[in-house]
Structures are given as structure tokens and as C-alpha cells.
Amino acid sequence: MGDPGSEMIESVPPAGPEASEATTDENEDDIQFVSILFPKMPKRQGDFLRFLNVKKVKTDTESSNNKSQCELSKSKEPNFKYVEQPITEENPSCSSKEETDNLVLPDCWNEKQALMFTEQYKWLEIKEGKLGCKDCSAVRHLGSKAEKHVHVSKEWIAYLVTPNGSNKTTRQASLRKKIREHDVSKAHGKIQDLLKESINDSISNLVHKQNNKNIDATVKVFNTVYSLVKHNRPLSDIEGAVELQEKNGEVNCLNTRYSATRIAEHIAKEMKMKIFKNIIEENAKICIIIDEASTVSKKSTLVIYLQCTVHSAPTPVMLFVALKELMSTTAEYIFNTVLSTLNDCGFTDEYLKANLIAFCSDGANTVLGKKKSRVATKLLENFPKIIIWNCLNYRLHLSLDDSISEIKQVNHFKLFLDKIYSIYHQSNKNQNKLLETVAKDLEIEIIKIGRVMGPRWAACSLQAATAVWHAYPVLYMHFSNSHSGLAKRLANINFLQDLALMIDILEEFSLLSTALQSRSTNIQKAQKLIKRTIRALENLKIGTGKHESQIEGLIKSDKFKDIPFNKNNKFNALPRSMLLENIIEHMHLRLVSDRNHNESIFDYFDLLESSAWPYEEVTSPWIAGEKKLFHLCEILKYEIDLSDFREFVNNNIKSNNVSIPTTIQKAKKIVNTIAINNAEAERGFNLMNIICTRVRNSLTIDHISDLMTINLLGKELTDWDATPFVKSWSNCNHRLATDTRVRQKSTKTYENQLAIWNLQ
């Protein structure tokens, strides 16, 4: 192959001295033309004008003359003058000659050279003294025709091609070479093929169709990744899913777990950006919920949630924000992590000061301890007047623990059940032996035995105690042969009575704990549920519980006939009245009274609940209520209209079924925004443990957070539209599924398996 610029050299008027005689007449004409085009001026002034991109423009008179010349098909040399003005696109003229007249040319070309090259290479265009390709600029990318190492030149697309060299001859040769190389390039050839295919369609429609084809193929990959994440499947499964799609005729390049990870990251980021942007634009009031836990790989993590009010939802919305790794568990580090995470999501300090109304967490010393260096204290320093709320389920558990710690006999009861737990959860031999000797339904109950009143919520303790109750006869038979001391304890009727009492107490606690964990339970409803449970325990104190009343009948039944019940004074029964009295007292201390505020905030919240009003004191207008209304507005960081409040009071005095004014409705929704527990954070940790198993323990915390975001915030697959996410993916310069400029994945060959199919 010869010099790539040889063909160009033959097409351009000779520039060497050997051709000077042959082109004398032309050169004289050129000199006259150049003298008109470029009047004499100092060299530096000419360079300065060239630097400013001075444009050559025809005068109005000359433009009209040119127009008449074009109509009469006459030729006349144009005159030019320099006008310093912004360069604008002009309407197409009636000839290539006139087009070149209005252009700023490369400094090494004259008008004839520009006209000759643009006619020889129809794709060539000149803008502001630089060259470009109008075909490549129109199509811009190859789409499905893309190949590995084949790219459309950005310089030719953006009209940025300039000559190189220190003298005119070298710069001309440079431009000829660049034009020639682009003309024969593979990418430019593919652009020409695309244009030939668009003979019956416009380029814009062709590009649009091509883009749609690329996006449609990528949408299928995004749907596959989304489905894997929603079903908590490893992202490496995409290789098998894409292999099936390729078998069915769909070819794409996003077929590895690395691509799937990047796609999941992008989807999670776009989801958060859209959701949190809408919340911020709505100026919604928010409550922060946090909790700490460890992953399978023993990394300390912090889960962050937001509960907020939005116009489109009748009840508050709970949103997962992020899962963050804690390099330190100090209050300072946790506070900075929470604040930086919210700032990254768009919640600025100014927004939080105006809209953050509450903070909820468990009772960990680092978060809600009494010292001044705790997270809650730091939040109050930065965002005054927010409500610091201790998780009600955690406080419920603490009230039970406080009662147990004060009564020695309860500890004995707890230690005995913990002994049973240790036997059936630490020795596989004993467990297997038991599985061979008891019925299947009883095996299930025994396996459920856990630590009673340990570091769990009441529902877990109830499950463990109930499992012992159901498996009581089987446990006695087993311990009679291996653990005589435990068998004697089970044969003591006092122990059976204590077990029944604890189950009755734990049932009330479990019922309350489950109700408090409901997403529909707000702070006012929670107080009613707590008071209802206290009344139930007071009734139990003066009466007999459900399981206690069954003891006499159970002892006489066939199931318990083999147990020689007796009253052994060595094992004293629980002090029933004292235990119930202690539990009721600690529930009042932990749950009903509010230690964080001098005046209970419930007195203010009751202004919005007409059922809690002291109607014997309520008048219209209600002066005492209006005084509290001012403080309620400060707590909620929302202005309740006084006229609306008076209308609300007046209507409720006259009738119970009345419409609620707008500002009162909004205030009630804001009150519901205050989270009463961190149950949602616990559910988030459950999802984290499902995602990050011992098999997938190499996942980073950021990746787990992205997967949790899609799982918790994403729509169902049938309702989810991947197209906006694919378009934003493309805008970030990521490759689409139809891009073939990727390394082909290696295929495994199984010669032995293939050989049996080749048998004749």
C-alpha cells in the first residue's frame, strides 16, 4: 500500500517550486485575490485577528449583488471586509463557491483549495477555521455496527481538526493526510453504510430508531439484574440468565457479574436521587431511625431510615437511606456518619433544622446514654427542639428485665430454662438421640426452645416458654434417664405453676410488642396500647391466667400421668403478687412517664385528638388549648392556623362527626411521622443477613446497601420501568448491551461430554 496521502497530493494544486511555471497564471490570480481578501497589515495585527476568530463577512450591497449573480448564473469576484462579531450559522447558499466565501478557512488554505476539497469529499465541512465531518456529526455513534477498537473520531464530530507543522507546506500536507485517513477509516465507512440505509428515512429518525434498539436490548439486561436483586439472588447468576437470552437470539455485552454490580449501583443511586429529591421539594417533615448490628463477616454497621410525611400518602412513609460501615462505634463517629449520609442524599443542614422533628433508636449507651457525648446529645446541639425517642419495644423489654432482676426466684426459673436451651442447642448427639425417641411434632417444639427473657423481645421469650409447655411430658421422660436433677424440677408442681404464670405474662407482653411493631401504630395509639396492657396485668394480679387455670386439668390428663408431681419446698414458687406489681410499676416508669421532657409531649399531641379532651373544661374559644397550641407548633415545626383550631374545637363541641381543617390534618400527619420503635431497622438487618450470607460474605457494605435499596425502595418487577434508568446509564457514558467493543468471555469445553454425542 502506498502513501496514504498520495491521492490527496495528486488532487491538490502543486505547491513545489518545480510546478511554478505551470501555475504562474493561477498564482497571479491568487495573489490579486489574497490582496483583496487580506489587506496589508502588520504581522502581529494579523495574528491577533486570527486569534480572535475574526470572521470574513460580505457587506449588504455585495450580498445582494451575489444573490442576483446567483440567480443570473453569473460569476463575479466577491469583496470582503473584517467584522468582529459572533459566528452564526447561515442559510445554505446556492453554490459551493458562495459557501466557502462566508467561511473562516484554515490559515494554510485559500478559497480554491477549500472549494476543491469540499467538492471532492462531500462529507467535509469547515467551521471557524477547523475541519469536521458532517456525516459523523449527524450520526455520532455506530450503534449495532460498533466493533472492538472501532471508534468515531470525536475531533471530526466536533469540528476540531486542525493542521500541524511550522510552515505552510507542512500544514497543508498535514491536513491532506488527516482527510485521507478519515475518509478510508473503518468507522467512517460504517457511518456511510448507516447513511445508505437511511435513504428512505431522515438521519434523525435513523439515529432515534438505532437508539431505541440499543435501549431496548439494555432494558432486558436491567430487568434481569433487577429481578435477581429483588429475589436476593447472587449477581453472578446473570451469566446464566444472559446465556439463555443469547440462546434465544438476544446478544448483549453486559453479561458478567461485574456489569451486573455496576448496574445495581446505578439503579440504587438513581432511585435514591429521585425519591429524596421529591421529598426535599415537598419540604416534608422527617424522623431519623438508626440501629447498629454486625454482618456475617463481623463488621459493625449502622442502618439509617427516614420516616416522612408526603401529600400523596395518607400515612407516613418509611424509607431506607443507607447501610454504613462503622470504623468506630464512638458517638462522634456515628453522628458524623448519619449527618454525612443525609447530606449526600440532598438533606442539607438548613433543611434538617427546618424539618427534622424526631430521632428514634434503641437504648444503647452510645446513642441514647446519659452522658453529654452521646449521639442524641449531639443531635440536640445541632438541631434543637427535636424529640429524642427511645424504642418502645426496647423499653418494654427493659421493664421486664428490671422486674426479673429484683426477684431472685425468677432468676432460678430463667436459669433452669437456659439449661434446657444449652442441652438441645450445643450437643448434636443429645439432639439426635431425642429426635429418635419422640414424635415429629414434639421435636419441632423442643427445637424452638430458646433463651427465656434473654436479649430478645418478648415474642421470642414467649415462643421458648410455650415450647417447654407443649413438650413438658417428653422433656420429663428424657431427663429421667440422663438429667435427674432437671427431672425433679419438672416433677415439682410449683415449677409448672410458675411456667403457666410466666406464659400468661409473656403473652400480654408479646401482644403489646407485636402491636407496637405495626407500621400503623403511632405515638398516641402506642400509649393507649401500653395502658391497656397495664390494665390486663392488673386484672391478672387479682385473678387467674389462661394457662394457670389449665394446670389442674393437665395433671389429671393422660399426657401428664407418668409425671409424679409433688410439692418440693426446696424449689419455692414465684412470688406471684410481687412479680406482677413490679412489672406494672416498671412499665409505668419505662413506658408511660416521659423522662426526656418536663411536661409530657402527649399533653400537646392530645390537642389534635378530640377524644382525649377534658370536655368539662373545653369552651369555644378554648384559651388553655390555644396556649398549648403555640408549643405544639414549635415541636412539629409547622404553623397550625388558629382559625382552623378554633373551628376544629367548635365543631367537636357541637358534633363528633365533623370535617377536619387542612392545617389540623397536616399536623396530625406530622405527629404520626414520629417513629415509636426501630422495628423497621431490625427488618433491614434481617434483609442484610439474607443478602450477606456465609457464601456471599465478600460483598462490601456499600454493595449490600445498594442491594437493600433496590429491594426495599424498588417497585415490583411487573410495575418497574427500566427505560429511564437505561437512558441515565447511557448519559453517564456506560456501554449499552449492543456494544461489541468488549472482550469475549471464555467458553468452557467439555471434550469428554462432547465426544459421546459424536458417536455414530
Side-chain angles (χ1 to χ4, degrees):
M1 183 176 179
D3 181 8
S6 59
E7 182 177 338
M8 299 296 302
I9 295 172
E10 294 173 1
S11 304
V12 179
E18 65 277 8
S20 59
E21 293 181 2
T23 59
T24 302
D25 296 334
E26 292 179 4
N27 286 343
E28 289 178 356
D29 294 336
D30 289 345
I31 292 171
Q32 294 176 0
F33 180 78
V34 170
S35 64
I36 297 172
L37 181 61
F38 303 105
K40 292 182 180 181
M41 62 179 69
K43 184 178 185 300
R44 292 192 178 188
Q45 184 179 355
D47 293 340
F48 178 70
L49 290 173
R50 189 178 302 114
F51 172 77
L52 293 177
N53 283 331
V54 176
K55 184 179 178 182
K56 297 169 285 184
V57 188
K58 292 175 286 187
T59 62
D60 294 339
T61 307
E62 290 159 353
S63 297
S64 60
N65 290 340
N66 273 341
K67 185 175 180 182
S68 61
Q69 289 170 353
C70 181
E71 293 173 354
L72 298 174
S73 302
K74 295 180 181 179
S75 62
K76 182 177 179 180
E77 288 293 331
N79 295 319
F80 297 89
K81 71 175 182 177
Y82 281 94
V83 180
E84 300 184 31
Q85 64 180 30
I87 300 173
T88 57
E89 292 185 26
E90 302 187 10
N91 295 329
S93 57
C94 51
S95 69
S96 299
K97 179 67 171 64
E98 192 169 341
E99 287 180 5
T100 57
D101 290 346
N102 299 327
L103 294 176
V104 178
L105 304 176
D107 57 3
C108 61
W109 275 8
N110 57 32
E111 294 288 341
K112 286 188 177 181
Q113 289 172 318
L115 180 62
M116 182 193 67
F117 277 107
T118 52
E119 288 190 352
Q120 181 177 354
Y121 300 98
K122 301 299 183 183
W123 48 264
L124 183 65
E125 274 192 339
I126 306 171
K127 288 184 179 180
E128 301 182 13
K130 300 176 183 179
L131 306 186
C133 177
K134 61 183 178 183
D135 294 345
C136 293
S137 180
V139 181
R140 302 188 74 83
H141 56 80
L142 300 175
S144 60
K145 292 185 177 293
E147 294 182 8
K148 190 175 181 180
H149 304 309
V150 178
H151 307 273
V152 182
S153 171
K154 295 179 181 179
E155 289 76 11
W156 283 102
I157 290 176
Y159 293 84
L160 298 176
V161 179
T162 56
N164 298 329
S166 58
N167 55 64
K168 182 176 180 180
T169 303
T170 307
R171 294 169 72 81
Q172 287 178 341
S174 171
L175 282 185
R176 291 197 299 270
K177 182 178 179 181
K178 290 182 178 182
I179 294 172
R180 176 62 180 170
E181 287 180 347
H182 180 70
D183 188 54
V184 300
S185 67
K186 197 169 185 179
H188 183 74
K190 289 181 175 293
I191 293 291
Q192 299 300 317
D193 294 340
L194 287 172
L195 292 174
K196 290 177 182 177
E197 295 175 6
S198 66
I199 294 176
N200 298 325
D201 205 349
S202 65
I203 294 178
S204 59
N205 289 340
L206 176 69
V207 173
H208 181 70
K209 290 178 181 179
Q210 190 64 42
N211 286 342
N212 287 343
K213 182 179 179 181
N214 299 336
I215 288 174
D216 291 343
T218 311
V219 162
K220 296 177 181 178
V221 180
F222 270 59
N223 286 335
T224 303
V225 174
Y226 192 83
S227 177
L228 292 175
V229 175
K230 291 294 274 186
H231 291 89
N232 297 316
R233 297 296 306 162
L235 293 180
S236 57
D237 287 1
I238 191 174
E239 297 179 6
V242 171
E243 184 178 354
L244 176 61
Q245 293 177 8
E246 291 176 350
K247 182 71 175 177
N248 292 332
E250 296 290 340
V251 180
N252 67 75
C253 70
L254 304 175
N255 52 17
T256 65
R257 62 187 177 94
Y258 304 104
S259 299
T261 303
R262 300 288 87 77
I263 291 172
E265 288 177 0
H266 179 78
I267 293 174
K269 179 181 176 182
E270 291 294 315
M271 275 185 178
K272 285 183 180 180
M273 187 184 302
K274 182 177 181 180
I275 292 173
F276 294 139
K277 181 182 177 182
N278 293 337
I279 291 173
I280 293 170
E281 289 177 351
E282 198 168 309
N283 207 34
K285 306 300 178 184
I286 61 175
C287 171
I288 301 173
I289 303 100
I290 68 170
D291 201 1
E292 298 176 63
S294 298
T295 64
V296 175
S297 52
K298 307 302 181 184
K299 292 182 178 179
S300 296
T301 58
L302 181 74
V303 65
I304 306 172
Y305 275 81
L306 284 184
Q307 185 156 277
C308 60
T309 55
V310 291
H311 294 304
S312 57
T315 58
V317 179
M318 183 72 74
L319 298 172
F320 171 77
V321 178
L323 181 73
K324 290 293 181 180
E325 183 176 358
L326 292 178
M327 308 307 296
S328 170
T329 55
T330 62
E332 183 73 25
Y333 190 87
I334 293 175
F335 171 75
N336 291 334
T337 300
V338 172
L339 205 59
S340 62
T341 302
L342 293 175
N343 290 339
D344 292 342
C345 294
F347 298 98
T348 61
D349 290 350
E350 291 75 17
Y351 182 90
L352 294 175
K353 287 178 181 178
N355 296 283
L356 177 60
I357 61 171
F359 170 78
C360 178
S361 182
D362 60 10
N365 289 331
T366 307
V367 182
L368 296 177
K370 296 180 181 179
K371 294 183 180 180
K372 295 182 179 180
S373 59
R374 301 310 179 193
V375 176
T377 307
K378 292 183 177 298
L379 278 169
L380 284 171
E381 290 174 356
N382 288 267
F383 311 105
K385 297 182 180 180
I386 67 171
I387 299 171
I388 303 298
W389 194 259
N390 194 343
C391 171
L392 282 180
N393 289 88
Y394 184 78
R395 287 155 70 174
L396 175 66
H397 183 76
L398 289 179
S399 66
L400 185 59
D401 282 351
D402 292 344
S403 304
I404 292 170
S405 63
E406 295 177 3
I407 300 177
K408 188 166 101 175
Q409 291 89 337
V410 179
N411 287 329
H412 291 164
F413 175 81
K414 178 179 180 296
L415 290 172
F416 173 75
L417 293 183
D418 284 348
K419 179 66 176 177
I420 299 177
Y421 168 83
S422 63
I423 289 173
Y424 293 108
H425 287 76
Q426 295 180 6
S427 174
N428 291 331
K429 180 180 178 182
N430 289 336
Q431 197 175 97
N432 291 335
K433 184 178 179 181
L434 185 66
L435 296 177
E436 295 174 359
T437 57
V438 298
K440 184 176 180 181
D441 55 341
L442 294 181
E443 292 170 14
I444 296 172
E445 294 299 335
I446 290 172
I447 291 171
K448 288 179 182 178
I449 296 175
R451 294 192 181 276
V452 179
M453 290 166 283
R456 302 182 180 199
W457 285 351
C460 300
S461 298
L462 174 65
Q463 185 184 42
T466 306
V468 175
W469 176 267
H470 290 160
Y472 204 96
V474 179
L475 289 173
Y476 176 80
M477 292 172 55
H478 178 67
F479 292 149
S480 297
N481 300 324
S482 57
H483 301 81
S484 58
L486 295 177
K488 289 179 181 179
R489 176 65 68 91
L490 289 173
N492 189 349
I493 194 170
N494 289 336
F495 179 80
L496 183 61
Q497 291 173 344
D498 293 345
L499 179 62
L501 173 62
M502 291 306 301
I503 291 176
D504 288 333
I505 294 173
L506 289 172
E507 275 190 344
E508 292 295 336
F509 271 74
S510 178
L511 186 65
L512 176 58
S513 177
T514 304
L516 292 177
Q517 294 176 54
S518 173
R519 291 185 173 96
S520 62
T521 303
N522 58 24
I523 195 169
Q524 293 166 297
K525 183 180 178 181
Q527 287 297 304
K528 295 177 182 178
L529 293 172
I530 291 167
K531 292 177 180 179
R532 186 182 70 182
T533 301
I534 291 174
R535 289 195 299 270
L537 293 174
E538 289 173 345
N539 293 334
L540 181 62
K541 179 182 174 183
I542 60 177
T544 304
K546 181 178 69 173
H547 288 81
E548 286 181 302
S549 61
Q550 298 176 10
I551 291 177
E552 187 175 349
L554 285 174
I555 293 174
K556 296 178 181 179
S557 66
D558 293 337
K559 290 178 64 177
F560 285 73
K561 66 180 180 179
D562 295 328
I563 304 176
F565 282 105
N566 60 80
K567 282 196 175 183
N568 190 340
N569 294 329
K570 183 179 178 181
F571 305 111
N572 295 326
L574 291 174
R576 188 176 186 279
S577 297
M578 185 187 299
L579 175 62
L580 288 169
E581 186 65 37
N582 273 19
I583 291 174
I584 293 170
E585 180 183 352
H586 284 291
M587 286 188 70
H588 275 287
L589 291 174
R590 291 279 186 181
L591 300 170
V592 178
S593 62
D594 190 358
R595 299 177 300 167
N596 292 322
H597 302 85
N598 294 327
E599 293 183 75
S600 177
I601 58 173
F602 298 105
D603 292 340
Y604 299 113
F605 293 159
D606 286 344
L607 293 175
L608 305 176
E609 293 293 335
S610 58
S611 59
W613 292 349
Y615 276 94
E616 64 277 2
E617 302 177 6
V618 177
T619 59
S620 182
W622 184 17
I623 304 301
E626 291 177 4
K627 290 180 180 178
K628 291 182 178 180
L629 185 67
F630 174 76
H631 295 288
L632 178 62
C633 294
E634 286 187 332
I635 293 172
L636 301 182
K637 297 180 179 178
Y638 174 72
E639 191 67 30
I640 300 174
D641 187 67
L642 182 59
S643 299
D644 284 354
F645 181 72
R646 289 184 175 180
E647 180 185 350
F648 181 57
V649 172
N650 188 57
N651 291 342
N652 277 280
I653 292 175
K654 295 180 179 179
S655 174
N656 290 328
N657 299 322
V658 294
S659 60
I660 302 176
T662 305
T663 57
I664 301 295
Q665 288 181 356
K666 179 68 179 294
K668 289 167 73 72
K669 288 181 68 174
I670 295 174
V671 171
N672 294 341
T673 302
I674 303 171
I676 62 171
N677 57 50
N678 61 347
E680 204 68 36
E682 294 287 344
R683 296 186 185 103
F685 283 130
N686 289 337
L687 177 61
M688 178 191 73
N689 292 329
I690 292 173
I691 294 172
C692 185
T693 61
R694 295 188 181 277
V695 179
R696 304 176 68 190
N697 59 5
S698 60
L699 286 170
T700 66
I701 301 300
D702 289 338
H703 287 159
I704 297 173
S705 181
D706 291 333
L707 300 180
M708 291 176 66
T709 298
I710 297 173
N711 211 307
L712 294 171
L713 300 183
K715 299 178 181 179
E716 293 299 323
L717 181 61
T718 53
D719 301 325
W720 185 66
D721 182 16
T723 305
F725 297 89
V726 173
K727 290 181 178 179
S728 61
W729 169 271
S730 177
N731 292 338
C732 294
N733 296 322
H734 292 299
R735 291 179 177 177
L736 299 179
T738 53
D739 199 327
T740 58
R741 296 170 294 173
V742 293
R743 182 171 52 191
Q744 297 297 322
K745 64 178 181 179
S746 59
T747 56
K748 296 181 180 179
T749 57
Y750 302 94
E751 295 181 359
N752 292 336
Q753 293 182 3
L754 294 175
I756 63 174
W757 291 100
N758 295 329
L759 295 176
Q760 297 296 328

